[in-house]
């Protein structure tokens, strides 16, 4: 056993004495030691219940003959961090999570790891760590929140952000907003739409590191507790059979994940996280390949913010396994990929069925004949950019308009709330990339303001930053290279005309090559916004968004 390095033999008597100081018995130490990485905290609604999930998982480990050893992990709540300096730390926390787990699991050589994530950066950070450490690993997420109800309609966190815009334009009173505030987020769990957290938990299930239901069983349901116990059994089976993350995280598994990404129309943040996880596996995801997968994969599911359904509806309709079965039936999924269950992807999903065709649509009646995400290219984004096209209205798929330029996200949000953005404008938010932010802030406040004020079908927003999975409208992010590195977005001037054509994967500024070169020669980046502490170090080391914003 790997854990023998810290517990077996006469030379490890001092080590055993330290275990015994904590109350571990010889019988417990003779079993496989399973590190249980629990991201519980009291600041993230997706994590507030993880003690319950953790205790269930540990019970499963003990019942299967192992000894669980729990340790903690940080987690940022993107919603609470939104639109202030805190959001700069969200993406950057992904690297801290991966590094700290690597430290803990290498300093203390466990026989396996059971990961308990929920919410945006915690899931990819843990997946990066699992690939890097490469010992038997199983994931059991905390699961999604139930959707809220307000005046007979579904509500969620995005309803709240858009409600602020409605108050600003006198479409809602402050009293109504306060009532909505009490009803939009009714339970523990990751926010109830197909935002980044739920996207990543679903894709963890697709690649095979989470059991069936990992992405969709609602957090408050007893089925989530039972799944946690099953995850405890699963990690012991992986230890026994030496099933390793790198046996599962293969190029085919990532292609399956991207295919599901298109079928669901997941968060654009998956285009940051999947390349970063793949990088830990020695695999490179070429952004150009994503559009090819999109071309052959119909968009079959539309959850909030793209549609009116929520995660609980998707779960009742059959969830990930039913969608996998549907995609596999058309030859779009690699059926032979391994999973932590010891079965192949096809063996796990072949008996799953779609139970509600209004939520998971059939192939002959998709929302779109192509996938939910698109990578756009052009002289404004030579290295690519990303848009959640399933959340873009048909009339906004192609647009040409004047640039309204802002050098920070709060500056753009103020201008929108103050009524300075008009129909036809293209809002440009720059110096919010991995280096320029630093930390690549999400743009949920300005995009929600645009939607709340009724402009989502009349303007576009482009940025070298990124968007929340809850964003809808023509919101194009990850423009690379970013402004801080001298990318074309940093060369733009007020009223420059920008052309966007999502169906043709194009984003361009209508300037000649000669003019862009002239501006590039005179370009000087802004001074760094943060010059000390972790974010200053992060800015010096982080790669561009098209590479997954990984540290080098």
């Amino acid at each position: 056993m790997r854990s023998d390095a810290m517990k077996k033999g006469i030379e490890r008597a001092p080590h055993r004495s330290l275990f015994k100081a904590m109350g571990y018995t010889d019988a417990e130490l003779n079993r496989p030691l399973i590190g249980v990485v629990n991201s519980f905290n009291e600041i993230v609604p997706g994590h507030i219940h993880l003690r319950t999930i953790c205790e269930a998982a540990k019970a499963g480990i003990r019942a299967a003959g192992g000894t669980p050893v729990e340790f903690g992990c940080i987690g940022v709540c993107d919603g609470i961090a939104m639109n202030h300096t805190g959001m700069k730390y969200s993406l950057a926390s992904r690297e801290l999570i991966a590094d700290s787990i690597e430290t803990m699991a290498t300093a203390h050589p466990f026989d396996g790891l059971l990961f308990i994530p929920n919410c945006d950066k915690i899931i990819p950070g843990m997946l990066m760590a699992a690939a890097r450490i490469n010992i038997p690993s199983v994931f059991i997420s905390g699961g999604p929140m139930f959707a809220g109800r307000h005046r007979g309609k579904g509500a969620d966190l995005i309803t709240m952000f858009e409600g602020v815009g409605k108050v600003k334009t006198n479409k809602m009173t402050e009293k109504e907003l306060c009532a909505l505030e009490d009803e939009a987020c009714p339970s523990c769990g990751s926010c109830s739409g197909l935002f980044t957290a739920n996207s990543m938990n679903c894709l963890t299930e697709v690649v095979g590191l989470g059991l069936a239901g990992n992405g969709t069983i609602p957090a408050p349901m007893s089925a989530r507790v039972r799944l946690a116990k099953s995850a405890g059994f699963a990690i012991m089976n992986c230890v026994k059979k030496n099933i390793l993350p790198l046996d599962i995280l293969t190029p085919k598994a990532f292609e399956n994940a991207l295919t599901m990404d298109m079928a669901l129309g997941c968060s654009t943040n998956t285009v940051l996280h999947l390349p970063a996880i793949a990088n830990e596996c020695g695999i490179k995801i070429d952004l150009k390949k994503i559009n090819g997968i999109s071309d052959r994969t119909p968009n079959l599911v539309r959850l909030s913010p793209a549609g009116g359904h929520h995660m609980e509806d998707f779960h009742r309709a059959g969830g990930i396994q039913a969608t996998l079965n549907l995609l596999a039936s058309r030859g779009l999924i690699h059926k032979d990929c391994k999973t932590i269950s010891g079965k192949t992807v096809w063996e796990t999903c072949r008996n799953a069925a779609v139970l509600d065709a209004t939520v998971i649509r059939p192939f002959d009646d998709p929302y779109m004949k192509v996938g939910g995400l698109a990578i756009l290219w052009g002289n404004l984004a030579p290295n690519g950019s990303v848009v959640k096209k399933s959340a873009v209205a048909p009339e906004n798929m192609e647009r040409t308009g004047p640039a309204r330029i802002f050098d920070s996200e709060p500056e753009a949000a103020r201008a929108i709330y103050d009524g300075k953005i008009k129909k036809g404008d293209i809002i440009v938010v720059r110096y919010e990339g991995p280096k320029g932010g630093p930390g690549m802030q999400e743009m949920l406040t300005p995009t929600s303001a645009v939607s709340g004020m009724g402009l989502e079908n009349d303007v576009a927003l482009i940025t070298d930053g990124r968007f929340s999975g809850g964003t809808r409208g023509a919101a194009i992010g990850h423009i690379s290279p970013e402004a801080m590195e001298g990318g074309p977005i940093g060369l733009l001037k007020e009223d420059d005309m920008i052309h966007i054509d999502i169906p043709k994967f194009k984003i361009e500024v209508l300037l000649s090559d000669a003019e862009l070169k002239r501006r590039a020669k005179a370009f000087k980046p802004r001074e760094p916004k943060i010059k000390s502490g972790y974010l200053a170090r992060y800015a010096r080391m982080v790669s561009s968004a098209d590479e997954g914003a990984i540290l080098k």
Side-chain angles (χ1 to χ4, degrees):
M1 292 190 288
R2 292 175 177 84
S3 61
D4 286 350
M6 61 178 170
K7 69 182 186 183
K8 189 173 183 179
I10 191 170
E11 297 87 354
R12 299 296 181 259
H15 305 61
R16 292 192 296 274
S17 72
L18 293 172
F19 275 101
K20 290 178 179 179
M22 296 179 280
Y24 290 95
T25 66
D26 285 329
E28 288 174 304
L29 294 179
N30 286 332
R31 299 169 184 163
L33 299 185
I34 308 299
V36 179
V37 192
N38 186 5
S39 58
F40 165 81
N41 60 54
E42 295 182 343
I43 192 66
V44 186
H47 295 211
I48 193 69
H49 63 304
L50 292 188
R51 281 177 172 158
T52 300
I53 300 299
C54 186
E55 288 306 314
K58 291 195 290 187
I61 290 169
R62 291 190 186 99
T67 298
V69 181
E70 180 185 347
F71 62 92
C73 169
I74 65 169
V76 171
C77 178
D78 280 24
I80 295 173
M82 196 70 64
N83 197 230
H84 58 84
T85 302
M87 179 46 68
K88 296 178 183 292
Y89 285 85
S90 176
L91 180 61
S93 74
R94 185 187 72 181
E95 316 309 313
L96 290 175
I97 290 164
D99 290 350
S100 63
I101 294 170
E102 176 196 354
T103 299
M104 287 294 290
T106 307
H108 315 101
F110 296 109
D111 297 298
L113 292 170
L114 190 146
F115 293 87
I116 307 176
N118 230 20
C119 300
D120 296 30
K121 309 311 164 301
I122 297 89
I123 306 155
M126 287 188 176
L127 286 165
M128 291 165 68
R132 188 184 302 173
I133 301 163
N134 198 35
I135 64 174
S137 298
V138 168
F139 281 67
I140 169 62
S141 78
M145 182 185 291
F146 281 127
R149 298 289 295 176
H150 180 68
R151 296 187 174 181
K153 295 182 178 180
D156 54 34
L157 180 65
I158 307 310
T159 317
M160 285 304 310
F161 274 96
E162 293 180 358
V164 176
K166 290 180 179 180
V167 171
K168 295 281 187 179
T169 53
N170 299 315
K171 295 177 181 177
M172 179 185 282
T173 66
E174 287 191 45
K175 184 177 180 180
E176 289 171 325
L177 186 67
C178 287
L180 178 61
E181 180 182 319
D182 290 336
E183 298 173 332
C185 300
S187 74
C188 62
S190 48
C191 294
S192 57
L194 192 61
F195 314 144
T196 305
N198 292 325
S199 294
M200 291 306 302
N201 279 329
C202 285
L203 296 186
T204 301
E205 184 177 335
V206 173
V207 297
L209 284 177
L211 295 173
N214 178 73
T216 60
I217 297 173
M221 291 180 66
S222 58
R224 175 64 57 180
V225 177
R226 296 196 299 271
L227 189 71
K229 291 179 181 177
S230 296
F233 280 90
I235 184 58
M236 293 305 297
N237 184 58
C238 287
V239 169
K240 180 181 178 181
K241 296 183 178 179
N242 199 32
I243 300 172
L244 304 177
L246 294 187
D247 297 331
I248 293 169
L249 295 173
T250 63
K252 285 183 177 181
F254 282 106
E255 191 165 320
N256 283 350
L258 288 168
T259 299
M260 183 63 73
D261 209 340
M262 297 304 157
L264 302 184
C266 290
S267 164
T268 53
N269 283 310
T270 59
V271 180
L272 272 180
H273 299 320
L274 288 176
I277 299 161
N279 178 70
E280 298 288 349
C281 305
I283 298 167
K284 181 174 176 57
I285 293 178
D286 186 349
L287 293 187
K288 293 179 181 177
K289 189 175 184 179
I290 293 176
N291 286 339
I293 294 172
S294 178
D295 283 343
R296 67 175 184 257
T297 309
N299 179 214
L300 303 175
V301 176
R302 281 200 179 171
L303 308 181
S304 175
H309 295 123
H310 289 84
M311 291 300 297
E312 63 203 73
D313 304 308
F314 183 42
H315 176 65
R316 293 191 187 103
I320 289 297
Q321 296 303 309
T323 312
L324 270 174
N325 182 297
L326 199 58
L327 293 169
S329 72
R330 295 298 180 100
L332 297 175
I333 291 293
H334 298 289
K335 297 180 179 181
D336 59 342
C337 288
K338 296 179 181 178
T339 73
I340 53 167
S341 68
K343 300 176 181 179
T344 64
V345 166
W346 177 241
E347 288 170 333
T348 66
C349 76
R350 64 185 175 188
N351 295 321
V354 174
L355 303 177
D356 187 343
T358 67
V359 179
I360 305 173
R361 287 195 175 183
F363 271 82
D364 58 3
D365 185 29
Y367 284 101
M368 291 191 304
K369 293 182 179 180
V370 294
L373 298 183
I375 307 299
L376 309 188
W377 312 85
N379 65 357
L380 191 49
N383 294 349
S385 60
V386 63
V387 63
K388 186 171 184 173
K389 62 182 177 182
S390 60
V392 181
E395 60 267 31
N396 219 10
M397 286 286 187
E398 184 179 356
R399 175 170 298 282
T400 301
R404 299 289 173 253
I405 298 175
F406 305 95
D407 286 349
S408 73
E409 184 252 9
E411 184 185 343
R414 284 193 300 271
I416 296 165
Y417 284 136
D418 291 344
K420 295 180 180 178
I421 300 301
K422 308 301 180 187
K423 289 184 178 182
D425 287 347
I426 294 183
I427 304 163
V428 178
V429 186
R430 61 190 184 188
Y431 290 101
E432 291 291 11
K435 290 182 183 294
M440 215 176 178
Q441 292 198 85
E442 287 187 345
M443 304 289 148
L444 182 56
T445 297
T447 56
S448 295
V450 164
S451 295
M453 298 172 83
L455 291 170
E456 70 267 24
N457 296 336
D458 299 300
V459 302
L461 193 155
I462 69 173
T463 181
D464 54 7
R466 62 194 178 93
F467 294 108
S468 162
T471 290
R472 58 191 176 98
I476 300 163
H478 308 189
I479 288 183
S480 301
E482 62 175 293
M484 199 67 175
E485 292 190 320
I489 191 171
L491 309 180
L492 294 178
K493 296 181 180 179
E494 193 77 7
D495 289 319
D496 281 347
M497 296 300 290
I498 295 172
H499 176 64
I500 298 166
D501 191 334
I502 295 173
K504 293 183 179 178
F505 309 115
K506 288 184 179 180
I507 180 167
E508 300 172 320
V509 56
L510 302 183
L511 296 172
S512 67
D513 290 345
E515 174 61 15
L516 285 172
K517 287 179 181 178
R518 186 188 68 79
R519 292 187 187 185
K521 286 183 180 179
F523 173 78
K524 290 184 179 179
R526 286 182 46 154
E527 284 289 309
K529 295 176 184 175
I530 294 179
K531 299 181 181 180
S532 63
Y534 171 57
L535 282 183
R537 298 197 305 274
Y538 177 87
R540 290 194 295 268
M541 299 170 67
V542 70
S543 75
S544 62
D546 60 292
E547 295 181 81
I550 58 174
L551 295 187
K552 292 187 175 181

